[in-house]
Amino acid sequence: AVAASARGMMLHIEPLNLTDNPGYFLIGQAMAHSIVEEAGMDNVGVQFDLYHAQMSEGFIADKVERFLAKSAYVQFAGVPGRHEPDDGEMNYEFLFGMLEDAGYDGWVGAEYRPRGETLAGLGWAKKYEILLTDLTRLATPLLPSGKGLLSEVPPSSRWPFSVPSSLASQRL
């Protein structure tokens, strides 16, 4: 954390669920937030993955109320199965309303395993005012693999939205 801070970098820790990640040590928002608090560094934050929080803890609305303000990033996927967020037990319209009501203005990202073709599975984004044309903007590579996140905020999105650069370069 100290070395990352010297380089102006932010670090995120992410609690996962044991169903998908047996043996993983960091389970639950409370544990993650206590680690960040103990680290006491401004450049260390918690990645609040709504999928993992629901899978490991449930009571997701309560977790949003308790931990959103201290979270560095919000991520989501369909539960169960980590597929597109357009079916399953999560009510994302309600949860995104909670983000809005709380004044959340940070990054929101979708990370999931598409049920079929990736581009065909992006239809859910229209409901949340994320236009597919927004996803065609150029991306800045961030990882050695060449994958990255959008370098600009799509103008029609409620929140900054991230997408793998491999998608951003494709015609939708």
Side-chain angles (χ1 to χ4, degrees), residues 29-114:
Q29 290 295 308
M31 181 181 183
H33 283 277
S34 70
I35 290 170
V36 167
E37 186 176 316
E38 190 169 324
M41 299 203 53
D42 292 338
N43 70 317
V44 181
V46 176
Q47 180 170 313
F48 190 169
D49 189 320
L50 300 174
Y51 168 82
H52 286 300
Q54 178 66 9
M55 289 289 293
S56 64
E57 303 177 81
F59 302 101
I60 194 67
D62 174 64
K63 301 302 179 289
V64 170
E65 287 178 357
R66 290 178 53 204
F67 298 111
L68 179 64
K70 299 177 188 174
S71 298
Y73 176 79
V74 175
Q75 192 167 281
F76 61 97
V79 177
R82 196 164 191 98
H83 297 298
E84 292 87 345
D86 56 2
D87 71 2
E89 65 187 55
M90 298 287 274
N91 182 346
Y92 279 113
E93 190 167 340
F94 171 75
L95 293 171
F96 290 161
M98 289 183 74
L99 298 183
E100 252 180 35
D101 292 347
Y104 182 75
D105 63 355
W107 283 88
V108 175
E111 180 187 48
Y112 58 85
R113 292 184 290 273

Side-chain angles (χ1 to χ4, degrees), residues 67-172:
F67 298 111
L68 179 64
K70 299 177 188 174
S71 298
Y73 176 79
V74 175
Q75 192 167 281
F76 61 97
V79 177
R82 196 164 191 98
H83 297 298
E84 292 87 345
D86 56 2
D87 71 2
E89 65 187 55
M90 298 287 274
N91 182 346
Y92 279 113
E93 190 167 340
F94 171 75
L95 293 171
F96 290 161
M98 289 183 74
L99 298 183
E100 252 180 35
D101 292 347
Y104 182 75
D105 63 355
W107 283 88
V108 175
E111 180 187 48
Y112 58 85
R113 292 184 290 273
R115 289 183 292 264
E117 291 292 319
T118 300
L119 298 178
L122 290 173
W124 63 267
K126 292 177 188 175
K127 181 176 183 177
Y128 302 106
E129 300 172 15
I130 302 166
L131 302 179
L132 296 183
T133 54
D134 293 335
L135 303 180
T136 62
R137 294 180 181 270
L138 295 176
T140 304
L142 299 177
L143 305 172
S145 67
K147 293 183 179 179
L149 302 178
L150 285 178
S151 58
E152 298 180 48
V153 177
S156 64
S157 297
R158 291 180 182 172
W159 305 284
F161 181 80
S162 60
V163 62
S165 62
S166 60
L167 290 180
S169 64
Q170 296 183 37
R171 294 269 181 232
L172 301 176

